[in-house]
Amino acid sequence: METTNFDLKEHPHSRLNILTGDWILVSPHRTKRPWQGKVEATQADERPAYDPQCYLCPTNKRADGSENPDYKASFVFTNDYSSLLLNTPDGGLNDDELLVANSQKGICRVISFSPRHDLTLPQMQTAEIRKVVDVWQTEFEDLASYPWIKHIQIFENKGDIMGCSNPHPHGQIWAQNSIPVEVAKETQQQKIYFEQKGTSLLADYVALELKRQERIIFENEHFVVLVPFWAVWPYETMIVSKRHITSIIYFTDEEKTALADAIKRLTVRYDNMFETSFPYSAGMHQSPVNMGDQPYWHWHMHFYPPLLRSATVKKFMVGYEMLANPQRDITAEFAADRLRNLSEVHYKVKA
Ligand code: H2U
Ligand code: ZN
């Protein structure tokens, strides 16, 4: 409950991220000025449909010397520079519990989303994105069939500002024998909530957000797209399934199509914000595998975009944020309003 004089829109406050247990400092008084949505002349991103130099384009050679097939939809291959390897020996180090290390074993794959070098997810048709969702599902199933794999991270880095090495639309999957830090935090939070209340933390959270209508951007039949109350990045969003689904394995055909629709509509809005190809890191969080039933897990997808005020002004995670905890000026509610009011027709299509 809010106390009498305290106003989330006016007064500095901290917000709890119920999914991780982390906190964020919000300073809404610093953005009392009116919105100055700045659209800058950015470098025209005119790419050919096929680039002979691109390691993802059909029929081209990759670093390992192999040749990509003449694929027509998506194409998956093992990362030629995988961060995790299959043949790492077990073991580690524990010296007086002060120097601690664990061996990590895994599989890293790359997914080209389209044979077209010049597209991005928001420029692809919903039916084409749906095929990417199918691949995510079959890859997840395949990787989960290795009994030693415990966690499968599906993600996309978009834009060179996010360290993406190639503009050809693609994502990655890293599967490994242990649970990474963010996922461990979310597991813990959802488990505690489920044990106390007997319901899914995210199902209850989404129901509350739908009731309050302050941070919802849009919804379709199966997914809600919102700016989380505890968002750190200026235009951070989440796609949450309406049904309490633990992982993508259990998505129905209808849910897969609805996810493609949600991704398309969200990423088009992102591109339209500053009339630029909006960079982000995005990825799914879902139940670990081969560890028994984890009924408290609720599938969701995070989008973490770095841009703040224009196509070139990004948020920095420095100073207080590195040393204490993240901080933001524009509120999650303000960001949701902005995203809600943007067109779902891509600016390049309109032009
Ligand atoms: P990013 O754009 O998110 O960096 O992903 C591209 C991946 O593609 C990157 O991890 C791999 C890189 O290791 N890669 C190959 O597997 N083969 C190549 O020929 C070049 C790049
Ligand atoms: Zn290409």
Side-chain angles (χ1 to χ4, degrees):
M1 276 288 123
E2 289 114 76
T3 53
T4 36
N5 292 325
F6 172 71
D7 185 350
L8 280 180
K9 289 197 267 318
E10 301 263 344
H11 303 124
H13 59 275
S14 57
R15 293 190 186 191
L16 173 64
N17 180 337
I18 50 163
L19 258 182
T20 60
D22 295 336
W23 290 85
I24 167 163
L25 177 65
V26 186
S27 311
H29 60 293
R30 284 172 38 107
T31 43
K32 298 293 301 288
R33 47 208 145 106
W35 169 252
Q36 306 147 325
K38 200 163 128 206
V39 174
E40 300 171 335
T42 45
Q43 275 183 326
D45 175 33
E46 294 310 329
R47 282 179 273 142
Y50 167 78
D51 176 354
Q53 303 304 321
C54 169
Y55 62 83
L56 292 169
C57 278
T59 73
N60 289 358
K61 273 212 163 67
R62 294 203 316 277
D64 72 338
S66 61
E67 195 175 285
N68 296 334
D70 192 10
Y71 64 97
K72 303 296 175 204
S74 300
F75 168 54
V76 181
F77 59 92
T78 301
N79 196 315
D80 301 312
Y81 306 98
S82 295
S83 301
L84 293 156
L85 301 168
L86 257 180
N87 50 8
T88 309
D90 292 340
L93 171 74
N94 190 334
D95 194 348
D96 263 350
E97 288 177 16
L98 292 171
L99 302 175
V100 183
N102 295 313
S103 159
Q104 292 294 323
K105 186 163 115 170
I107 298 173
C108 297
R109 292 180 179 162
V110 179
I111 309 180
S112 173
F113 294 155
S114 162
R116 287 270 303 270
H117 186 79
D118 56 335
L119 298 180
T120 57
L121 283 178
Q123 293 168 303
M124 286 163 61
Q125 304 295 322
T126 303
E128 295 170 329
I129 301 175
R130 161 64 204 261
K131 287 186 187 158
V132 175
V133 177
D134 285 333
V135 174
W136 283 332
Q137 188 183 49
T138 51
E139 286 299 313
F140 191 93
E141 268 175 335
D142 176 57
L143 289 162
S145 72
Y146 294 78
W148 56 271
I149 285 183
K150 303 289 183 241
H151 181 257
I152 300 161
Q153 185 60 61
I154 297 175
F155 66 100
E156 178 194 6
N157 279 329
K158 178 166 175 270
D160 46 17
I161 201 175
M162 295 309 291
C164 177
S165 63
N166 184 338
H168 191 119
H170 69 282
Q172 299 192 42
I173 305 180
W174 295 17
Q176 72 194 97
N177 62 340
S178 68
I179 309 298
V181 174
E182 286 302 302
V183 180
K185 286 196 264 185
E186 293 194 1
T187 298
Q188 177 74 356
Q189 291 293 112
Q190 291 179 99
K191 186 168 186 268
I192 291 170
Y193 188 93
F194 192 81
E195 281 169 0
Q196 282 174 358
K197 309 235 180 184
T199 48
S200 147
L201 178 151
L202 278 184
D204 290 357
Y205 170 66
V206 164
L208 185 59
E209 289 288 20
L210 284 170
K211 194 168 99 192
R212 295 185 69 120
Q213 288 291 324
E214 292 163 317
R215 284 164 293 273
I216 304 286
I217 305 167
F218 65 90
E219 58 181 303
N220 64 23
E221 210 185 327
H222 297 289
F223 295 90
V224 176
V225 182
L226 50 78
V227 178
F229 182 69
W230 54 84
V232 165
W233 294 95
Y235 294 98
E236 176 177 334
T237 57
M238 262 170 79
I239 303 179
V240 188
S241 61
K242 289 187 177 173
R243 188 162 70 91
H244 176 192
I245 317 172
T246 54
S247 84
I248 194 170
I249 285 187
Y250 305 107
F251 277 29
T252 62
D253 281 345
E254 274 190 9
E255 282 164 342
K256 287 190 282 179
T257 302
L259 176 60
D261 171 75
I263 290 172
K264 166 87 180 172
R265 293 164 64 189
L266 173 62
T267 56
V268 165
R269 284 166 189 260
Y270 273 152
D271 276 13
N272 286 343
M273 171 115 52
F274 302 125
E275 298 199 352
T276 193
S277 181
F278 206 77
Y280 58 71
S281 273
M284 294 173 201
H285 278 152
Q286 49 199 324
S287 176
V289 295
N290 300 314
M291 296 184 71
D293 210 18
Q294 302 203 3
Y296 37 84
W297 257 98
H298 191 132
W299 181 97
H300 59 277
M301 187 164 177
H302 295 280
F303 283 78
Y304 299 130
L307 294 185
L308 175 60
R309 267 197 303 278
S310 73
T312 55
V313 180
K314 77 181 271 279
K315 176 185 176 66
F316 289 99
M317 288 284 191
V318 294
Y320 180 86
E321 322 210 285
M322 288 180 107
L323 293 154
N325 59 224
Q327 180 271 346
R328 65 184 287 139
D329 293 347
I330 64 163
T331 60
E333 298 70 47
F334 176 93
D337 277 344
R338 280 280 301 153
L339 283 161
R340 193 181 308 118
N341 291 316
L342 285 163
S343 166
E344 286 184 356
V345 181
H346 197 273
Y347 73 94
K348 281 195 175 169
V349 174
K350 261 190 307 192

